[in-house]
Amino acid sequence: MKIRKIIDKRVHEIEFLKIAHLEKKLINNISNLDILIFDKNILKNILIKKLLKKFPKRCFVIKGHEKIKNLKNYSILIEKIIKLGVQRKTIIYSFGGGTLGDLSGFLASTILRGVEHVMIPTSLLAMVDSSIGGKTGINSKFGKNLIGTFYLPKKVFICSDFLKSLPKREIACGYAEIIKYSLINSKQLHRLLIKQSKGDINEIIKLSINSKLKYISDFREKLKTKNSRAILNFGHTIGHAIENSNFYKGNLKHGEAISLGMILELKISSLLNYYSKRVDSLIEVLKKYNLPINHTKYVNNRTIPTLINKITFDKKVINEDVNIVLIGKNGGFIKKISIRDLKSILYQIK
Ligand SMILES: NC(=O)c1ccc[n+]([C@@H]2O[C@H](COP(=O)([O-])OP(=O)(O)OC[C@H]3O[C@@H](n4cnc5c(N)ncnc54)[C@H](O)[C@@H]3O)[C@@H](O)[C@H]2O)c1
Ligand SMILES: [Zn+2]
């Protein structure tokens, strides 16, 4: 099964396949000019073992983590790759989560002014989010993802077999983004998520990707349009503030902070009369997928001033207003709220 979408006159192609089929494709197509980058945590995978054996001199192994997305690491890696030898027709194959994918995409987009990148996302978050849409990047010491490019991979291969080795907590983080899609625009996804049994993961991934792609038709974010990429930030304005405030020494992962952010942003939607259903049904879904729901530990009278400070420094703040994504009858939309109002709302709903 394939998903195709034209973005900035280029085809974004995402193909779903089983591991045996992926193996055939890769073994037949990878050449000795290509570069392979693997996440250390997937080395036990039989396909990865075979690739390492077949292309021992062209492989790099990196332990995926937010800290690998920095300039120092980028420069070490790019020099190593250039030293090995690359040509215009070299293809970079990356196998890993979002951190390794973002770094590899940035490398591919800058080596020789751009060589092709084939992405094989191996975390759930990377399958439904970071491998989709062509954003690459690394972090600056002044903030996350501040250095990067828009660069569509030549292909994205989704092989859910990789998820068998993914830790439970990482699976939950992927579900946070999936639940976000279900609220902003996909009733079909919502129905699948609330079913008694956990649905077919490939169907869930496919619906999530289609949901994200609705907001991506070109690279620049257009705040004014109905399908603005910014709508994908539902749960992220407050979620990021919680994540970056680090109240409990960084023990919250991104998806977990977004889980709490979504609860609060849905409560705001409800308080402002845009959302008329029960917020509790979101809480039940989050619980079902092992995500945290107790926001009072992070959002309370003591922490609200710090959170508001973080939101003010967030790049989404223009003058005194913040663009926050709320949920209404027809899904996600952007609402401008003044920082002062947001603060008083937070005190009401905490
Ligand atoms: N480019 C974009 O549009 C975009 C969108 C969303 C997020 N992101 C970025 O994605 C990153 C987060 O991605 P992530 O959550 O995948 O993080 P990650 O790359 O750190 O992976 C999470 C953990 O899972 C491990 N892992 C990955 N696949 C595995 C597997 N199959 N089996 C066992 N372990 C496995 C990794 O080693 C790591 O420990 C962030 O840096 C974020 O900025 C980018
Ligand atoms: Zn996110």
Side-chain angles (χ1 to χ4, degrees):
M1 184 187 50
K2 283 185 187 167
I3 297 177
R4 278 203 185 90
K5 166 110 189 190
I6 306 289
I7 300 175
D8 264 10
K9 299 189 186 129
R10 283 200 58 190
V11 185
H12 194 5
E13 188 173 290
I14 300 128
E15 184 171 353
F16 287 69
L17 24 75
K18 300 291 288 175
I19 197 115
H21 191 187
L22 178 64
E23 176 174 333
K24 245 193 235 151
K25 254 196 188 193
L26 296 179
I27 298 277
N28 292 334
N29 286 317
I30 296 177
S31 89
N32 276 319
L33 281 177
D34 297 337
I35 297 286
L36 296 92
I37 307 177
F38 303 114
D39 189 301
K40 191 163 187 250
N41 284 330
I42 56 166
L43 293 187
K44 287 201 183 115
N45 183 288
I46 187 85
L47 165 60
I48 306 301
K49 279 187 180 165
K50 286 184 186 166
L51 291 170
L52 272 163
K53 202 162 167 204
K54 187 156 182 216
F55 304 98
K57 300 222 170 83
R58 310 291 295 175
C59 293
F60 291 86
V61 176
I62 301 173
K63 195 164 182 291
H65 192 270
E66 195 58 39
K67 295 227 165 77
I68 66 169
K69 287 174 54 175
N70 65 35
L71 274 172
K72 191 170 165 214
N73 205 22
Y74 164 78
S75 82
I76 293 173
L77 200 56
I78 202 161
E79 297 288 21
K80 279 190 185 164
I81 292 174
I82 292 170
K83 191 172 171 201
L84 260 188
V86 278
Q87 296 182 7
R88 291 281 320 135
K89 58 183 175 199
T90 290
I91 301 176
I92 298 205
Y93 290 83
S94 68
F95 302 72
T99 57
L100 189 137
D102 276 10
L103 172 68
S104 306
F106 184 53
L107 277 165
S109 73
T110 47
I111 293 181
L112 307 183
R113 297 196 180 83
V115 297
E116 279 178 336
H117 180 206
V118 172
M119 281 184 115
I120 298 98
T122 62
S123 71
L124 185 56
L125 184 136
M127 292 178 192
V128 300
D129 196 351
S130 64
S131 66
I132 309 303
K135 278 188 181 178
T136 85
I138 55 175
N139 305 325
S140 138
K141 64 180 176 191
F142 299 107
K144 221 169 115 69
N145 297 327
L146 293 183
I147 304 160
T149 51
F150 288 107
Y151 196 70
L152 273 187
K154 175 181 152 76
K155 280 231 174 192
V156 179
F157 290 123
I158 306 270
C159 175
S160 57
D161 295 307
F162 280 108
L163 299 176
K164 287 180 196 146
S165 60
L166 190 68
K168 223 174 134 189
R169 203 167 162 197
E170 298 295 344
I171 296 269
C173 286
Y175 269 106
E177 305 291 348
I178 294 171
I179 293 166
K180 172 192 83 178
Y181 296 133
S182 79
L183 283 161
I184 59 177
N185 73 15
S186 179
K187 290 205 172 101
Q188 213 180 338
L189 192 48
H190 180 71
R191 276 196 294 273
L192 265 185
L193 291 176
I194 57 174
K195 264 196 182 161
Q196 206 64 43
S197 60
K198 291 194 176 167
D200 169 16
I201 191 69
N202 282 305
E203 184 62 14
I204 289 177
I205 296 170
K206 187 190 86 186
L207 288 171
S208 299
I209 292 173
N210 279 327
S211 168
K212 178 163 183 180
L213 285 174
K214 281 185 197 158
Y215 301 102
I216 302 170
S217 47
D218 58 34
F219 285 134
R220 296 289 156 188
E221 295 185 17
K222 290 186 192 136
L223 265 183
K224 293 255 152 39
T225 60
K226 202 172 103 246
N227 288 337
S228 163
R229 200 165 180 152
I231 292 176
L232 294 166
N233 284 331
F234 174 63
H236 283 60
T237 303
I238 297 175
H240 270 154
I242 295 174
E243 189 180 4
N244 300 335
S245 299
N246 226 354
F247 298 125
Y248 291 87
K249 299 215 170 62
N251 65 356
L252 266 190
K253 287 184 175 284
H254 173 76
E256 294 165 348
I258 297 316
S259 173
L260 304 176
M262 286 194 287
I263 297 175
L264 288 152
E265 293 179 19
L266 196 63
K267 281 189 171 187
I268 297 177
S269 312
S270 178
L271 185 89
L272 299 180
N273 291 322
Y274 293 113
Y275 188 75
S276 54
K277 295 187 211 147
R278 292 165 52 240
V279 176
D280 278 359
S281 61
L282 166 65
I283 296 176
E284 281 150 25
V285 177
L286 294 170
K287 222 155 106 188
K288 174 173 171 189
Y289 291 94
N290 303 313
L291 285 156
I293 52 168
N294 182 7
H295 55 82
T296 51
K297 186 170 157 193
Y298 300 93
V299 183
N300 51 48
N301 288 351
R302 190 176 54 82
T303 62
I304 287 173
T306 316
L307 291 172
I308 288 291
N309 255 339
K310 285 278 169 205
I311 293 171
T312 314
F313 285 109
D314 194 305
K315 59 178 182 281
K316 284 177 279 299
V317 173
I318 303 159
N319 300 329
E320 288 296 295
D321 293 328
V322 58
N323 285 309
I324 190 165
V325 181
L326 300 182
I327 306 293
K329 268 205 301 291
N330 300 316
F333 68 97
I334 298 167
K335 169 93 183 149
K336 203 179 257 209
I337 300 186
S338 75
I339 287 285
R340 237 186 53 218
D341 288 349
L342 182 62
K343 191 172 184 177
S344 76
I345 290 171
L346 274 184
Y347 277 113
Q348 284 178 64
I349 61 165
K350 62 178 198 284

